[in-house]
Amino acid sequence: MVNGYIDTEIETLAEFDQVAARGSLSGYRIQSVNLLQRTFALLSADTSSAVFLGCPMEPDAAVKVRADGALVFPPVPDLPFDPYRGLLYTADELFAGLPDGYEATPDAQAYGWFQETKADGDVFSSMLRSIHDDAICDALDEHLVGARVVGVMGGHAMARGGAEYRGAAELGRALSRSGLTVATGGGPGAMEAANLGAYLAPAPDEALPEALELLAKAPSFAPSVSDWAQAAFAVRSRWPGGGDSVGIPTWFYGHEPPNAFAGHIAKYFANATREDGLLARSNAGVVFLPGAAGTVQEIFDNATPNYYGSRGEPTPMILVDRAHWTERLPAWPLLRALAAGRPLESRIALVDSVDEVPAVLASMA
């Protein structure tokens, strides 16, 4: 029980065994747990009002739980993803098979399936995508319970090896060391840099410049996602067991692979669900690094609920790089005009560099 809420979801075999040992699974929702070796437990326990989502089980066990009144949603064959999954992804999971090339990984295969089905009008395919994304939302909420989350937004084009990439990594490290959970769009560029900084937060300071040197050998995910990802895994091997952060990418932008430094990855098919979910969960504020159209969209996607107060008190919004946000893409003047005379006015800031962000963010807490 958490905050008066009784958790009825079972997402691992260990959780299943713990509950089944009490003799009743009634009312529980079992998500994507392989129960082929738990036939005796299923035959013995009360499974009335239970829901089994994508749980392989022996035929006699399936007959029995259905007779109890349970709902059984069977696994869907030949899918490169699990629509019922109960947990967030890991980089190891998404990049499994990387030595054979990125095309062999579950991440690339899921994108291929999405490309084949996104416009075919098949209600079954769209249902599977919706179920998957809802399950990811649920897993993300469970993972972030009690966390103070700061979003770090920025463009995918920021290359490894540059000063901007280093600054974004230093920002992610500083935020993580201050006790915040860093959340990004989960892709390359500025997003990867912030996740990298959070990953290396527990490591000595000298780890970051060493990691940046290793990564600079593959500065971009183009032309080779495989080389780009393998460089990241080389850094992870050099400094295993890094700090946690969250990446929230999408297969909608399939040309942008997820980065390997986020400890937990909430990957979606629907980009709108992903965008809104990332910003809504950034309860400690959002930092906007230099970016292009996607980052501009995120600024005003975040400004709208802050303007209307639809999520409660406005959360901090910090734009980094004065010249970028006042001259190249002048989002700051519009944001400031929107905020004038409203509670949002004291929750926005424009700074010259990432070095200023932690102190400004702390002042708004």
Side-chain angles (χ1 to χ4, degrees):
M1 179 179 295
V2 179
N3 296 327
Y5 171 72
I6 299 175
D7 185 6
T8 59
E9 295 177 5
I10 295 175
E11 295 148 344
T12 68
L13 197 57
E15 290 175 338
F16 176 86
D17 289 341
Q18 183 179 22
V19 175
R22 300 198 290 263
S24 177
L25 292 160
S26 180
Y28 279 86
R29 281 78 173 104
I30 302 91
Q31 283 182 259
S32 193
V33 180
N34 190 327
L35 300 176
L36 289 172
Q37 303 301 317
R38 294 299 186 271
T39 300
F40 178 77
L42 292 169
L43 294 178
S44 304
D46 175 13
T47 56
S48 61
S49 302
V51 179
F52 294 85
L53 299 165
C55 299
M57 62 181 75
E58 295 292 348
D60 53 343
V63 169
K64 183 266 180 185
V65 300
R66 285 192 175 98
D68 276 354
L71 288 176
V72 179
F73 294 78
V76 181
D78 303 321
L79 276 182
F81 64 94
D82 179 2
Y84 306 114
R85 62 179 301 118
L87 303 172
L88 297 177
Y89 291 100
T90 65
D92 288 327
E93 181 181 2
L94 289 174
F95 284 104
L98 182 62
D100 296 324
Y102 173 68
E103 296 75 15
T105 66
D107 185 66
Q109 291 168 0
Y111 174 62
W113 177 89
F114 180 44
Q115 287 295 99
E116 292 174 2
T117 63
K118 67 180 181 179
D120 64 5
D122 182 3
V123 66
F124 184 56
S125 296
S126 61
M127 182 191 72
L128 292 174
R129 292 194 296 270
S130 296
I131 291 172
H132 170 273
D133 286 1
D134 188 68
I136 290 296
C137 283
D138 183 63
L140 184 59
D141 284 338
E142 291 176 356
H143 178 69
L144 293 177
V145 168
R148 294 182 62 235
V149 182
V150 58
V152 179
M153 311 298 161
H156 68 267
M158 186 183 290
R160 295 166 171 174
E164 287 187 337
Y165 186 96
R166 182 184 69 248
E170 291 170 347
L171 173 63
R173 182 176 64 179
L175 294 172
S176 184
R177 285 179 174 178
S178 73
L180 295 166
T181 296
V182 172
T184 79
M191 298 171 279
E192 180 189 55
N195 287 129
L196 166 66
Y199 181 85
L200 291 177
D205 286 353
E206 58 268 22
L208 182 55
E210 292 178 31
L212 294 173
E213 186 175 349
L214 288 173
L215 291 172
K217 297 175 182 177
S220 174
F221 61 93
S224 173
V225 174
S226 299
D227 292 346
W228 175 84
Q230 285 171 342
F233 279 99
V235 169
R236 287 180 27 150
S237 296
R238 173 70 177 81
W239 293 279
D244 190 28
S245 65
V246 174
I248 307 181
T250 173
W251 280 295
F252 183 81
Y253 296 131
H255 62 288
E256 294 182 20
N259 77 72
F261 295 113
H264 291 82
I265 300 173
K267 190 151 192 180
Y268 291 91
F269 289 105
N271 186 52
T273 304
R274 168 254 193 172
E275 289 275 9
D276 184 69
L278 171 55
L279 294 168
R281 290 173 176 86
S282 296
N283 54 20
V286 182
V287 181
F288 298 92
L289 300 174
T295 310
V296 172
Q297 176 182 341
E298 288 162 346
I299 289 173
F300 293 103
D301 279 349
N302 195 43
T304 300
N306 276 342
Y307 178 88
Y308 288 111
S310 56
R311 294 178 185 148
E313 291 296 315
T315 51
M317 298 178 65
I318 302 176
L319 278 60
V320 180
D321 191 332
R322 190 176 303 273
H324 185 85
W325 294 120
T326 62
E327 299 172 15
R328 287 188 287 275
L329 293 174
W332 172 253
L334 178 53
L335 178 62
R336 187 173 58 179
L338 278 173
R342 305 183 73 89
L344 176 59
E345 189 171 20
S346 64
R347 310 294 281 168
I348 63 173
L350 176 66
V351 300
D352 290 310
S353 74
V354 293
D355 297 337
E356 302 170 66
V357 170
V360 172
L361 190 63
S363 73
M364 295 181 177

